[in-house]
Amino acid sequence: MVKADGVVELRCIKDYDAAVQRTGYGRFHYEILAVSAMSILSLGFQNGLSSYVFPAAQCDLNFTSFELGILNMAFMIGGIASCFLWGALADNLGRKKILFFTHLFDAIVTVICSVLPTTTNLLVCRFLNGFLIGAPGSIIFTYVAEFQPPKYRTPIVCCCGVFFTISWLLLPLFAYFILPLSKINASLGNVLFLTPWRLFLIILAIPELLTALWILKMPESPKFFLANDNHVECLAVLRNMYSINTGDHPDMFPVKNLVEEVKSSTKQKLACESKTLRVLKTMREQIKSLFKPPLLIVTILTCSIMFANMFGMFGLGLWLPEIFVRFDQFEKLYPNATPSVKELSLLVQAKDLSCEATFDTSVTQNTVVIASSSLLFNIVCSTLATKLHFKVIPLVTMLIGGATSASIYFLTSSVQNLVVASLFQASMITANMTIGSIAVELFPTKVVGIALCLIMFTGRLGAMASSFLFGYYMDTQCEVPIFVVGAVVLLGGLLCFLVPRKSKAVGERTMSVTNGIEVAVLSGYDVKFR
């Protein structure tokens, strides 16, 4: 700020990153991390529950492996349909509102899904689940990162990824205790039904409802306010963060003003139009900017890498428990035999493997081991994230994922499957989370929300294609989807070599001139005065 006598008082003028640093780090940030963890747990439950619910529902509703693949696709199609909607709304209406309403309605849809009796109803509900959960899947990492000082952003995003892994550790445990409850079998007039797998869905909806209520009491992202030129609200949130972290009165927050950004001519024109038209036009401008230099290469690379990652993680990854079930049943029928994955598929065609509405103890233990190894892998990578360039972890983990996925075809026992599946799942989940951190680092604030939605859009396209591939070929030519997954994931890993280092060309740059002081505002960089 400039005083009347021309003296420049720099201590009160801060860019956003410097202001966030002055809030300290304490109780407020821990609560933001906790609520984000709950959101990511709910996200993980919705993404992984089909591995446990559908094998049980398959026996109840008598659908085939191909129909199971279609149900997985319905969830992904829902996510694809809503990708850009949530990104545009989050960038223009706020992260908090979108997170609250989508978590609330997704919990309601899950409960409705649990009591309806038919495969068609299940298909519709899973589409709606995918449509709604796509919002936190795209927005929550931006929301938590925007409260963090620069040096903590990537580690915190990686830390949040740990909770996605924890959700996949909790799912088999819940399945182990709930799905065997055969005495739970009730109906109300052949309209509403309650069976163990339906109870499983209801229980998974509870933490999501609690998450929605918790988000309601949290503040909007201060960076969202700043990006929309609402400096008063931005400073109010920062003062509240400072007060909670330090115990001091909010008025003691040392930053009194933030660097003013100049509105673009496009933004000035949009301000005069209706809110709906403004949102649509802003969304169009944001998407166009992603496909122009200097963001074009970053957009293509991050989208391609996420496509490859989710092609493997939600294709082969969701079928791993089913492969365990098949190995387990085969080894019980033929204790001295050493089957291949191909032979298991042939047995399914011959109806030699039975349909079971629950998981054997050994199968549940295997899935817990896989999730535990993924959790350990995530923790190690979160620690290394502060010491390595942000593209190193996704590069290494994608290469590991591609190699292990292709090797699954050659396995001959459940023990071998356990080791390889653990490596595959751990590497793919870790890569998925860190690809998001690449986007947070490289895309400017005003488009990062919609950029993440575009990345998730292409990722869900990959997941949808892979789900169809596995559903169509798993019981006939299982080598086709397994080797295709291996090739696609390896290609995604090689593309990580091309991810650029953060540079001023990728950051957002606006210039303003105030009384002869030129202020350069760079996303992720300190403010320079000259």
Side-chain angles (χ1 to χ4, degrees):
M1 62 182 291
V2 181
K3 293 184 175 181
D5 59 4
V7 177
V8 180
E9 188 178 9
L10 297 181
R11 68 179 182 84
C12 292
I13 302 179
K14 295 286 182 181
D15 72 321
Y16 180 78
D17 286 346
V20 170
Q21 286 178 323
R22 298 302 291 270
T23 65
Y25 205 91
R27 188 160 61 90
F28 178 87
H29 289 92
Y30 302 144
E31 186 174 4
I32 281 290
L33 179 59
V35 72
S36 300
M38 285 290 289
S39 176
I40 293 165
L41 282 174
S42 301
L43 172 66
F45 288 156
Q46 286 293 348
N47 278 277
L49 65 82
S50 60
S51 295
Y52 306 94
V53 170
F54 288 165
Q58 189 173 13
C59 300
D60 189 3
L61 302 177
N62 297 313
F63 53 78
T64 65
S65 293
F66 178 70
E67 290 171 322
L68 192 153
I70 296 298
L71 284 170
N72 285 334
M73 283 181 61
F75 179 80
M76 299 303 170
I77 292 171
I80 290 170
S82 67
C83 256
F84 293 107
L85 171 68
W86 301 132
L89 292 178
D91 283 338
N92 291 281
L93 302 180
R95 286 76 160 111
K96 173 185 171 179
K97 290 179 183 177
I98 303 303
L99 289 171
F100 167 70
F101 284 112
T102 52
H103 272 304
L104 177 64
F105 290 127
D106 190 60
I108 294 171
V109 168
T110 301
V111 172
I112 294 173
C113 178
S114 68
V115 295
L116 295 177
T118 68
T119 304
T120 302
N121 291 333
L122 194 61
L123 186 70
V124 173
C125 286
R126 287 305 288 164
F127 171 82
L128 292 175
N129 282 140
F131 186 90
L132 292 166
I133 205 65
S138 302
I139 297 168
I140 191 62
F141 295 102
T142 303
Y143 181 70
V144 66
E146 288 178 346
F147 286 98
Q148 310 300 321
K151 69 175 181 178
Y152 290 123
R153 282 182 192 146
T154 299
I156 287 297
V157 170
C158 290
C159 182
C160 287
V162 170
F163 294 100
F164 189 91
T165 309
I166 291 174
S167 70
W168 285 31
L169 173 61
L170 294 176
L171 277 171
L173 294 176
F174 289 158
Y176 177 73
F177 288 107
I178 297 170
L179 293 181
L181 300 176
S182 57
K183 293 183 179 180
I184 299 177
N185 196 339
S187 63
L188 181 61
N190 288 326
V191 176
L192 302 178
F193 290 78
L194 184 63
T195 55
W197 68 267
R198 298 177 190 274
L199 176 63
F200 184 71
L201 283 177
I202 293 173
I203 290 174
L204 293 183
I206 294 173
E208 186 157 25
L209 178 60
L210 296 176
T211 300
L213 297 176
W214 197 352
I215 287 173
L216 190 61
K217 70 177 285 290
M218 302 304 294
E220 179 56 83
S221 162
K223 201 163 189 178
F224 166 76
F225 286 129
L226 183 62
N228 288 274
D229 299 314
N230 192 339
H231 290 221
V232 174
E233 290 293 339
C234 179
L235 282 170
V237 175
L238 292 173
R239 282 194 293 266
N240 184 52
M241 292 168 58
Y242 171 81
S243 178
I244 294 173
N245 285 335
T246 64
D248 294 337
H249 192 276
D251 290 342
M252 296 181 67
F253 184 52
V255 178
K256 306 303 180 185
N257 292 287
L258 291 168
V259 171
E260 187 73 28
E261 293 189 50
V262 174
K263 294 182 180 180
S264 67
S265 59
T266 301
K267 189 168 183 179
Q268 288 174 333
K269 292 177 182 177
L270 293 179
C272 301
E273 298 174 343
S274 68
K275 192 170 187 177
T276 301
L277 188 59
R278 185 165 69 248
V279 168
L280 292 174
K281 286 194 173 183
T282 302
M283 176 181 173
R284 183 190 65 187
E285 293 301 318
Q286 289 170 329
I287 293 175
K288 284 172 62 177
S289 71
L290 297 178
F291 292 96
K292 294 179 180 178
L295 297 179
L296 176 61
I297 293 178
V298 177
T299 301
I300 293 173
L301 282 174
T302 50
C303 287
S304 300
I305 294 167
M306 185 62 85
F307 179 94
N309 174 267
M310 293 182 70
F311 189 91
M313 189 169 83
F314 290 103
L316 178 58
L318 290 180
W319 282 87
L320 287 176
E322 174 66 15
I323 294 174
F324 276 121
V325 170
R326 295 183 182 187
F327 265 118
D328 184 69
Q329 291 188 33
F330 183 94
E331 289 170 356
K332 287 179 180 177
L333 288 172
Y334 310 101
N336 297 319
T338 55
S340 66
V341 176
K342 177 73 172 180
E343 290 171 326
L344 294 179
S345 298
L346 295 175
L347 284 175
V348 171
Q349 294 177 58
K351 309 296 183 184
D352 288 343
L353 297 185
S354 62
C355 180
E356 296 184 358
T358 185
F359 288 106
D360 185 87
T361 303
S362 62
V363 176
T364 303
Q365 289 172 348
N366 287 341
T367 53
V368 170
V369 169
I370 292 175
S372 299
S373 63
S374 299
L375 178 60
L376 179 61
F377 202 78
N378 262 202
I379 292 172
V380 171
C381 289
S382 296
T383 304
L384 293 175
T386 59
K387 301 177 176 62
L388 300 173
H389 187 263
F390 54 77
K391 77 176 183 180
V392 172
I393 292 176
L395 188 157
V396 173
T397 51
M398 288 283 285
L399 293 178
I400 293 173
T404 52
S405 61
S407 68
I408 285 178
Y409 180 76
F410 303 101
L411 305 181
T412 58
S413 73
S414 57
V415 174
Q416 294 175 6
N417 190 35
L418 175 61
V419 174
V420 173
S422 296
L423 285 171
F424 172 78
Q425 198 81 317
S427 60
M428 296 306 289
I429 290 176
T430 302
N432 186 268
M433 296 299 105
T434 50
I435 293 167
S437 71
I438 290 176
V440 171
E441 288 289 339
L442 292 182
F443 285 101
T445 304
K446 291 188 179 182
V447 297
V448 69
I450 203 161
L452 283 169
C453 288
L454 177 63
I455 292 167
M456 293 305 297
F457 172 82
T458 53
R460 287 169 185 142
L461 283 177
M464 184 181 71
S466 188
S467 294
F468 177 82
L469 199 64
F470 271 89
Y472 192 82
Y473 285 108
M474 193 61 187
D475 292 343
T476 55
Q477 294 175 287
C478 63
E479 66 274 12
V480 172
I482 288 175
F483 287 128
V484 170
V485 164
V488 170
V489 175
L490 281 173
L491 179 60
L494 294 175
L495 288 177
C496 290
F497 280 106
L498 304 179
V499 172
R501 292 184 175 274
K502 188 170 182 179
S503 66
K504 292 185 180 183
V506 179
E508 62 183 323
R509 181 181 178 95
T510 61
M511 304 300 299
S512 68
V513 179
T514 307
N515 288 352
I517 301 175
E518 185 177 73
V519 182
V521 183
L522 291 170
S523 175
Y525 294 88
D526 294 333
V527 175
K528 306 295 182 184
F529 292 85
R530 69 184 186 192

